Amino acid sequence: ISLYGQKIMPNYQDMQQSKMFVRFLYQFFLRQVMQKRQWWPVVILVIIQFVLLVLQFIIGMFINLFAPMNISVTQNNYFMMGYMMEVFIQVPALFPHMFIGFITGIISLIMVLLAILNGKTLVAILALLNGFLILTAGIAGIYFVLSGLSNNALSFLMSIGFIGAVAVDFGILYLVV
């Protein structure tokens, strides 16, 4: 191999070290995730999701207690994006609340994937239930915002999704640990 007229040969020792590093990464990460009894990634994801759900609960209670209810938006915003941006301006705490919900949904999908790869059907079903509850709370939250933060039934549905997701998280931890 030549570069600018100079011959460059890869160092044999560097190649061996890089092969050892790749082998280490494979053994440490992929093999542990793929084996049936290696559940530490799921445990870490459940703990992260639980912390995020508690944070989301706190932000949601702040919005419930201190945000102006029955907010109105101008008639110019017929599209969802314009409406949501105007609501985010009126209730700034709503954006991190929705972002955390999106992240918890992604975490639940990753938990489903890991449970399927590990071959544990009951954990996969619980992770699917977890994702369904988070999705239910998210859809109810979007409609709650579209109602002007005034529909109590949708607020109740969000709380049921939250409580159910926390309970399922504990169920997953019980089965895995």
Side-chain angles (χ1 to χ4, degrees), residues 36-162:
K36 289 186 176 182
R37 291 191 178 91
Q38 301 298 328
W39 288 98
W40 63 268
V42 174
V43 171
I44 291 171
L45 286 174
V46 167
I47 291 169
I48 290 170
Q49 187 178 45
F50 180 74
V51 169
L52 287 175
L53 284 172
V54 168
L55 184 63
Q56 187 178 24
F57 174 78
I58 292 169
I59 295 171
M61 285 296 105
F62 177 81
I63 291 170
N64 194 22
L65 293 173
F66 299 113
M69 295 297 154
N70 296 324
I71 60 173
S72 62
V73 294
T74 60
Q75 298 296 330
N76 298 340
N77 290 318
Y78 295 110
F79 299 106
M80 177 108 159
M81 188 65 174
Y83 182 86
M84 294 302 281
M85 291 306 293
E86 194 164 334
V87 171
F88 285 158
I89 290 170
Q90 292 181 16
V91 185
L94 191 61
F95 180 72
H97 183 74
M98 287 181 70
F99 183 73
I100 291 172
F102 181 72
I103 297 299
T104 56
I106 290 173
I107 289 174
S108 67
L109 290 176
I110 295 171
M111 284 193 301
V112 169
L113 179 68
L114 290 175
I116 289 171
L117 288 176
N118 283 331
K120 192 92 169 195
T121 307
L122 187 57
V123 176
I125 291 171
L126 284 178
L128 276 171
L129 179 63
N130 190 349
F132 173 75
L133 290 167
I134 290 173
L135 182 66
T136 302
I139 291 171
I142 289 172
Y143 281 113
F144 180 72
V145 170
L146 292 175
S147 74
L149 305 179
S150 61
N151 192 334
N152 291 333
L154 294 172
S155 179
F156 178 72
L157 193 56
M158 283 188 292
S159 66
I160 294 299
F162 165 78

Side-chain angles (χ1 to χ4, degrees), residues 6-54:
Q6 295 179 349
K7 289 194 173 191
I8 299 174
M9 290 297 294
N11 189 348
Y12 180 75
Q13 186 177 8
D14 291 340
M15 288 175 51
Q16 290 300 322
Q17 287 177 350
S18 65
K19 284 181 183 178
M20 287 176 25
F21 181 69
V22 169
R23 190 176 302 135
F24 167 75
L25 288 178
Y26 170 75
Q27 289 176 351
F28 188 72
F29 292 109
L30 291 178
R31 189 190 305 162
Q32 287 190 11
V33 170
M34 299 298 278
Q35 288 178 352
K36 289 186 176 182
R37 291 191 178 91
Q38 301 298 328
W39 288 98
W40 63 268
V42 174
V43 171
I44 291 171
L45 286 174
V46 167
I47 291 169
I48 290 170
Q49 187 178 45
F50 180 74
V51 169
L52 287 175
L53 284 172
V54 168

